[in-house]
Amino acid sequence: MRFHCSLLFVLPILFTLTACQSLPNTEQDFSTQNNVINKFPLSTAVQIDYQDEVKLLKINQLLVEQKDLDARQYAVLFYERGVIYDRMGLAAHSRYDFIQALSVDPTFADAYNFLGLYLLLSESYDEAFDAFDSALELSDNMQYSYLHRAVGLYQIGRYQLAMNDIEKFYSLDQNDPYRVLWRFIINSKVDQLKALQTLKSSTQLSNDPRFAWAIVDVIAGRTTEKDFLESLSYGVNTNKELAERLCEAYFYLAHWHQLSGHLEKAVYYFKLSTATNIHEFIEYKYALIELGAIQRRLQTGKDKK
């Protein structure tokens, strides 16, 4: 799922830009305790896009040469460069540019939203919540700030508050399969059986072709995990499309297995999600957060394989 942005303006300049770990010794064959599956589809890790490199050069040139831009235009350039750095996986550069955008224009809701996500990745939860709060106060279009704030609250064990935010996020588009999945993940921490029943009651509209509904079907028990994995490449034409699909699929399956007590498989799936190198997807970013959280719990003896 791409990081959604709500930029509603265009710079009157030369071009228009749009925004939206390695896996050690990974094998395609993997034995599981319940013997559900045997093979895992993989893609080639996605590399930096040449067009992004070209856009980055143009933005750098504009920042140096254009002297008559107003504060908002400078902020947009910093923001757009930050989005490109994010796609490239250059987290420090990206975070710095979002801070730069806000220093020029403190009313930039999209920059607050993106910065909050990076603050979550660095476990700076109070600052992250402040950033999401600012985004929501400044714009009615920052729906994903509810999701990100819910995930942060979930990570620190404030489950009831997380549920409030995820219900708000879900209510804004009840036909979105990703919101159905996130609602299940967050609410399962309070009542897993009820969360599962709620997910099972969610229905796909006849004209909605989104792949994520297939993930919902697996968790709901309408499709087997084996059949789902075998169908992952159907309708995919490029390695990039396959990598994006795998990034999402492995992430949500990892959460499902983690909630079911299958920690070893969950860790493996989270690693497969990050192995795609789809840095701009929130599933990639949150897989990193989950792997870090699992490692800390294992070190303190709170989880067992």
Side-chain angles (χ1 to χ4, degrees):
M1 180 167 57
R2 294 186 184 279
F3 188 91
H4 287 257
C5 307
S6 59
L7 230 49
L8 301 178
F9 41 83
V10 178
L11 276 174
I13 51 181
L14 301 179
F15 64 98
T16 300
L17 298 176
T18 59
C20 129
Q21 315 325 31
S22 66
L23 180 64
N25 301 322
T26 299
E27 300 288 341
Q28 280 189 291
D29 294 314
F30 182 76
S31 291
T32 65
Q33 293 177 351
N34 53 11
N35 213 20
V36 173
I37 51 178
N38 300 109
K39 292 192 177 292
F40 296 79
L42 298 174
S43 63
T44 302
V46 173
Q47 304 302 311
I48 294 174
D49 191 303
Y50 172 76
Q51 293 301 320
D52 276 341
E53 295 187 69
V54 172
K55 292 173 184 177
L56 188 60
L57 289 172
K58 289 182 177 179
I59 289 179
N60 289 336
Q61 183 178 5
L62 285 167
L63 286 169
V64 171
E65 296 179 356
Q66 295 291 325
K67 305 299 183 182
D68 57 347
L69 300 178
D70 60 28
R72 188 62 169 183
Q73 291 171 329
Y74 272 115
V76 171
L77 285 174
F78 283 124
Y79 175 83
E80 295 286 6
R81 190 172 68 177
V83 171
I84 294 173
Y85 280 139
D86 179 70
R87 285 199 294 271
M88 291 179 169
L90 300 174
H93 291 71
S94 183
R95 178 172 172 173
Y96 175 78
D97 270 350
F98 297 134
I99 293 173
Q100 287 288 94
L102 289 170
S103 69
V104 176
D105 182 0
T107 68
F108 203 153
D110 297 88
Y112 277 117
N113 192 38
F114 237 127
L115 179 60
L117 184 52
Y118 273 98
L119 289 166
L120 280 188
L121 286 166
S122 65
E123 300 176 37
S124 301
Y125 293 106
D126 289 340
E127 293 92 335
F129 296 145
D130 286 342
F132 297 135
D133 290 346
S134 296
L136 291 167
E137 289 171 6
L138 288 166
S139 174
D140 294 331
N141 297 313
M142 306 311 300
Q143 295 185 14
Y144 275 76
S145 287
Y146 288 113
L147 169 62
H148 302 317
R149 194 168 65 182
V151 172
L153 291 165
Y154 165 91
Q155 288 293 330
I156 62 174
R158 303 293 298 275
Y159 299 128
Q160 191 59 55
L161 291 175
M163 286 176 64
N164 294 340
D165 270 347
I166 206 63
E167 290 296 335
K168 176 64 176 179
F169 179 64
Y170 171 76
S171 70
L172 294 171
D173 186 357
Q174 298 182 22
N175 295 318
D176 181 355
Y178 297 101
R179 299 181 195 228
V180 171
L181 290 164
W182 276 110
R183 191 186 190 202
F184 166 73
I185 292 168
I186 299 294
N187 290 350
S188 287
K189 279 296 185 179
V190 174
D191 189 334
Q192 187 169 346
L193 180 60
K194 182 179 179 181
L196 180 59
Q197 292 302 320
T198 301
L199 176 138
K200 287 181 177 180
S201 68
S202 301
T203 56
Q204 178 181 2
L205 299 178
S206 59
N207 61 344
D208 187 350
R210 282 177 289 188
F211 159 76
W213 281 113
I215 308 173
V216 174
D217 286 339
V218 173
I219 297 174
R222 295 188 286 263
T223 302
T224 67
E225 188 176 354
K226 181 177 182 295
D227 288 343
F228 169 73
L229 290 173
E230 289 177 350
S231 68
L232 272 173
S233 61
Y234 293 175
V236 171
N237 298 313
T238 66
N239 178 71
K240 177 72 178 295
E241 291 176 357
L242 178 60
E244 291 175 347
R245 181 172 288 189
L246 295 177
C247 182
E248 296 175 345
Y250 287 133
F251 174 80
Y252 294 109
L253 289 179
H255 263 295
W256 176 48
H257 283 292
Q258 186 177 23
L259 289 166
S260 302
H262 306 144
L263 187 60
E264 183 178 347
K265 190 188 289 188
V267 169
Y268 190 76
Y269 275 156
F270 281 132
K271 287 183 177 181
L272 286 176
S273 181
T274 62
T276 61
N277 278 0
I278 306 297
H279 299 281
E280 69 268 30
F281 273 29
I282 60 173
E283 289 84 359
Y284 174 91
K285 293 179 173 65
Y286 283 139
L288 294 176
I289 290 178
E290 289 295 334
L291 286 169
I294 291 171
Q295 182 179 24
R296 288 191 297 274
R297 291 198 299 270
L298 289 172
Q299 290 172 342
T300 57
K302 293 183 179 180
D303 264 327
K304 296 180 181 180
K305 287 187 179 182

